[in-house]
Amino acid sequence: MSALRLPRLAGSTAASDAVGVAMGGRAAFSLGIAVALAGAAAGPGLTQSTAPRGPAAAGFTQLFMSPCGEPYRGKPGDPYPVALWFKQADANHDGAITAAEFRADHQGFFEALDSDDNGYLEGPELAFYEQRVAPDVYAPETLSFQTYPERGGAKLWLAQIVQNPEGSHPGDGSLHGGRGPNNGAKGPAEDLGSRRSQRRELIGAAPYGLLAEAEPVRAADTNLDSRVSKAEFLAAADRRFKLLDKDKDGKLTLEELPMTAVQAQAAKKR
């Protein structure tokens, strides 16, 4: 299967996401974040090594955003990449994800993003996730793509934000599926009564996830202090598992998972 994920686990042989980090393990991914954050602070010190490209240019047209917010991609004809996430999260490969395995999957992604190991995902790390790991999800109209020279055998694939629409933010309508920087909160429309039953627009990661969260990482910030602690992220994992475990048997199988919105839409076209 040619699907892609961010290879967080040590010893992984999977190719990496074309808008993620091409590395051989979670430690290398964390190193890549630190290198990229340092480069951003110091200015344009790293040289571009290849022509800009993104996941679609590499043929990866399918996208699944895992419950913790990690992107998984697949090519046409591949199984939908939820299967790739399931295989990674099912640590003992018994065909089911337990609450502990689900929590461990969240923990692994948190630790990969927590570049300074302080137990919090803060401004630069959150920006790195939204703008460099899954930028086509959160800011698809504002990107160019570039790679950086290999460092210790790891090649970094990152996206560069080329413009920032004034007033926009990941998760609002201006960045995904919207109609521009003024697509945020608005007053009630004149025909509110006749439009009340209209389906809400899915934005950000919502169309690609099991729980339709627009930004799963920031969604864990329950005390609204603009950063995500490890305890908050793991508590979010526990809440999400309970929501997905419909039959309350303490495990998730691939067959019982709901379809994402884009997966359901694709199924209707068949």
Side-chain angles (χ1 to χ4, degrees):
M1 182 168 66
S2 54
L4 292 184
R5 65 174 176 85
L6 291 176
R8 299 187 272 132
L9 303 180
S12 168
T13 57
S16 83
D17 195 325
V19 280
V21 182
M23 301 206 171
R26 189 171 74 206
F29 176 43
S30 299
L31 171 64
I33 293 178
V35 171
L37 291 177
L46 295 175
T47 58
Q48 184 171 328
S49 62
T50 65
R53 64 182 304 192
F60 292 92
T61 58
Q62 296 192 82
L63 172 63
F64 171 70
M65 295 295 283
S66 78
C68 65
E70 183 175 8
Y72 293 75
R73 302 179 189 276
K75 291 185 176 180
D78 285 347
Y80 187 65
V82 65
L84 187 64
W85 165 73
F86 192 94
K87 183 178 180 180
Q88 174 179 290
D90 179 15
N92 63 359
H93 306 298
D94 66 349
I97 297 173
T98 63
E101 288 173 326
F102 193 86
R103 204 173 208 259
D105 185 61
H106 274 66
Q107 180 173 331
F109 194 51
F110 182 95
E111 291 174 354
L113 292 173
D114 184 17
S115 61
D116 57 7
D117 295 319
N118 71 344
Y120 290 90
L121 301 181
E122 300 172 288
E125 292 155 330
L126 292 170
F128 182 92
Y129 165 67
E130 292 168 346
Q131 298 176 2
R132 313 290 287 277
V133 175
D136 53 332
V137 176
Y138 300 115
E141 290 87 16
T142 63
L143 305 177
S144 68
F145 296 90
Q146 57 189 322
T147 61
Y148 293 104
E150 291 193 5
R151 179 185 175 93
K155 181 184 290 185
L156 215 56
W157 288 84
L158 298 174
Q160 180 179 15
I161 304 300
V162 295
Q163 62 179 346
N164 184 22
E166 185 176 356
S168 66
H169 185 276
D172 70 25
S174 65
L175 292 187
H176 187 84
R179 292 174 293 279
N182 294 320
N183 193 50
K186 299 183 177 71
E190 294 180 4
D191 58 348
L192 178 63
S194 63
R195 295 167 60 88
R196 201 166 278 174
S197 62
Q198 185 177 12
R199 287 182 59 190
R200 67 185 179 89
E201 183 178 33
L202 296 178
I203 58 176
Y208 312 103
L210 300 174
L211 296 171
E213 290 181 295
E215 212 287 33
V217 175
R218 286 188 189 265
D221 177 20
T222 51
N223 66 359
L224 303 180
D225 64 351
S226 298
R227 63 179 187 169
V228 180
S229 70
K230 191 171 187 177
E232 285 177 316
F233 205 66
L234 295 181
D238 295 339
R239 290 193 301 273
R240 289 163 179 162
F241 184 87
K242 289 177 181 178
L243 288 171
L244 291 170
D245 184 19
K246 299 294 187 182
D247 58 8
K248 308 303 178 187
D249 64 350
K251 61 184 179 181
L252 305 175
T253 63
L254 188 59
E255 292 73 25
E256 76 179 278
L257 292 177
M259 286 187 175
T260 67
V262 293
Q263 188 181 11
Q265 186 178 35
K268 287 180 182 179
K269 294 179 179 178
R270 293 182 188 137

